[in-house]
């Protein structure tokens, strides 16, 4: 009879070095960048004491840099938004830490609650807005590091759905 308990590994896996991945000091894959964002989000001591709110402009703070990537902390008071933009040649992971944000794209509108994550590729055009009545905080990982943020004309995206979107790694 076969069962999960019948599975045995013959020999010592440590003797087969090609089966083992070398641990990395810094993330290098999309899943690892998502994991980095999740680990920072889970450890409020890394970011909560830094958050400031500015009614006149969005507040942001570069939290960390590594080889080829940057991590930014942003706050959003009600009504603040990014404007329609892309991130040039950078890919990214957006994680909502507190509150709620709305993302608008040409494909529609998406509500992002605390814990939601969005992964995007270079050239992805979107607008992020705090449409709620409470402030929000978000974490942004860019790889390679953000060197430009071209602005675009008004978003023509129809408001088609509201949903909380989270990434599973």
């Amino acid at each position: 009879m076969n069962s999960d308990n019948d599975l045995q590994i013959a020999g010592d896996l440590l003797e087969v070095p090609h089966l083992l991945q070398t641990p990395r000091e810094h993330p290098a894959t999309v899943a690892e960048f998502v994991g980095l964002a999740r680990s920072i989000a889970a450890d409020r001591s890394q970011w909560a004491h830094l958050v400031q709110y500015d009614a006149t402009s969005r507040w942001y703070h570069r939290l960390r840099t590594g080889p080829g990537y940057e991590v930014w902390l942003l706050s959003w008071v009600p009504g603040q938004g990014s404007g329609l933009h892309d991130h040039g040649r950078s890919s990214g992971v957006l994680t909502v830490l507190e509150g709620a944000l709305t993302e608008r794209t040409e494909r529609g509108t998406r509500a992002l609650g605390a814990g939601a994550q969005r992964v995007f590729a270079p050239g992805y055009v979107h607008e992020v807005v705090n449409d709620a009545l409470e402030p929000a905080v978000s974490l942004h990982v860019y790889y390679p590091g953000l060197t430009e943020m071209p602005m675009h004309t008004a978003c023509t995206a129809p408001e088609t759905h509201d949903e909380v979107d989270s990434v599973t790694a």
Side-chain angles (χ1 to χ4, degrees):
M1 175 167 137
N2 288 333
S3 73
D4 290 340
N5 295 332
D6 292 337
L7 179 62
Q8 294 182 358
I9 298 175
D12 185 357
L13 278 182
L14 298 177
E15 294 298 320
V16 190
H18 69 278
L19 295 178
L20 302 174
Q21 288 189 352
T22 306
R24 288 193 271 260
E25 183 179 347
H26 298 283
T29 67
V30 172
E32 289 171 346
F33 283 109
V34 168
L36 172 65
R38 284 184 176 165
S39 69
I40 294 171
D43 185 0
R44 293 180 56 84
S45 69
Q46 291 189 51
W47 56 268
H49 65 284
L50 299 170
V51 175
Q52 299 176 26
Y53 298 98
D54 186 338
T56 59
S57 66
R58 275 186 308 125
W59 174 88
Y60 51 91
H61 172 77
R62 187 164 55 192
L63 192 60
R64 181 185 300 179
T65 61
Y69 71 93
E70 296 178 325
V71 180
W72 290 86
L73 184 64
L74 283 75
S75 71
W76 312 73
V77 299
Q80 284 181 336
S82 65
L84 191 63
H85 67 282
D86 69 59
H87 303 94
R89 63 185 191 93
S90 298
S91 295
V93 179
L94 159 66
T95 304
V96 179
L97 301 176
E98 292 180 348
L101 295 171
T102 302
E103 181 189 41
R104 295 186 182 109
T105 70
E106 66 180 10
R107 297 182 67 191
T109 299
R110 187 178 307 268
L112 304 171
Q117 290 188 294
R118 297 285 290 150
V119 174
F120 52 87
Y124 178 71
V125 178
H126 69 158
E127 176 180 30
V128 179
V129 179
N130 181 352
D131 285 332
L133 298 176
E134 299 293 326
V137 180
S138 58
L139 184 79
H140 303 249
V141 179
Y142 298 109
Y143 50 96
L146 194 61
T147 58
E148 61 179 323
M149 198 173 106
M151 301 305 289
H152 295 263
T153 58
C155 183
T156 57
E159 295 194 17
T160 57
H161 64 279
D162 287 336
E163 63 183 75
V164 174
D165 185 48
S166 62
V167 173
T168 56

